[in-house]
């Protein structure tokens, strides 16, 4: 783009740009986004419950993923972490069941990108 084709900066005194809405407020104000916010919080809660069952520093290679009516997904940083999580899957599901969380099924996926 040539310099002369670039859009000009808005003149002062024009319409004011509103302050950005904090994400928490935006989530609360929109029904679909509010549901997403609740699901994100629930996923974080589940991660906090299962983290103590993960060996050593493995927690930093595991992220909480989506939750739906069928279960919850843990995202592994690589295939080796996913394999270890699959070994631990019964223990992780038991921890969720002990807390009365349903569904307690844990899915494990390797995080892409």
């Amino acid at each position: 783009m040539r310099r002369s084709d670039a859009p000009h900066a808005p003149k002062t005194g024009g319409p004011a740009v509103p302050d950005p809405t904090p994400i928490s407020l935006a989530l609360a104000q929109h029904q679909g986004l509010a549901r997403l916010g609740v699901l994100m919080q629930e996923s974080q809660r589940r991660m906090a419950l299962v983290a103590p069952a993960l060996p050593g520093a493995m927690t930093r290679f595991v992220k909480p993923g989506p939750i739906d009516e069928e279960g919850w997904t843990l995202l592994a940083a690589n295939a080796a972490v996913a394999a270890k999580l699959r070994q631990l899957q019964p223990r992780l599901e038991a921890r969720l069941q002990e807390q009365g969380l349903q569904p307690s099924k844990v899915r494990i996926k390797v995080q892409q990108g």
Side-chain angles (χ1 to χ4, degrees):
M1 180 184 311
R2 293 185 323 207
R3 192 170 189 89
S4 62
D5 293 338
H8 298 291
K11 297 178 185 177
T12 55
V17 176
D19 289 332
T21 303
I23 189 88
S24 58
L25 183 59
L27 289 173
Q29 290 177 341
H30 186 275
Q31 183 179 6
L33 292 178
R35 173 90 173 119
L36 178 61
V38 168
L39 291 174
M40 288 173 49
Q41 287 177 342
E42 179 60 22
S43 183
Q44 291 290 338
R45 178 176 164 224
R46 287 172 183 241
M47 184 66 194
L49 289 171
V50 301
L54 301 177
M58 188 175 173
T59 310
R60 65 185 179 148
F61 299 107
V62 180
K63 293 185 180 176
I67 186 169
D68 57 32
E69 60 278 346
E70 295 177 16
W72 174 52
T73 302
L74 281 176
L75 302 172
N78 56 53
V81 172
K84 185 62 178 175
L85 284 173
R86 287 185 185 96
Q87 290 177 345
L88 296 170
Q89 192 171 4
R91 183 187 312 174
L92 302 178
E93 289 175 348
R95 288 184 71 92
L96 296 176
Q97 286 176 349
E98 289 168 5
Q99 295 298 315
L101 297 175
Q102 296 298 325
S104 58
K105 181 177 185 327
V106 175
R107 296 179 295 250
I108 297 157
K109 296 188 178 185
V110 176
Q111 188 174 6
Q112 300 297 317

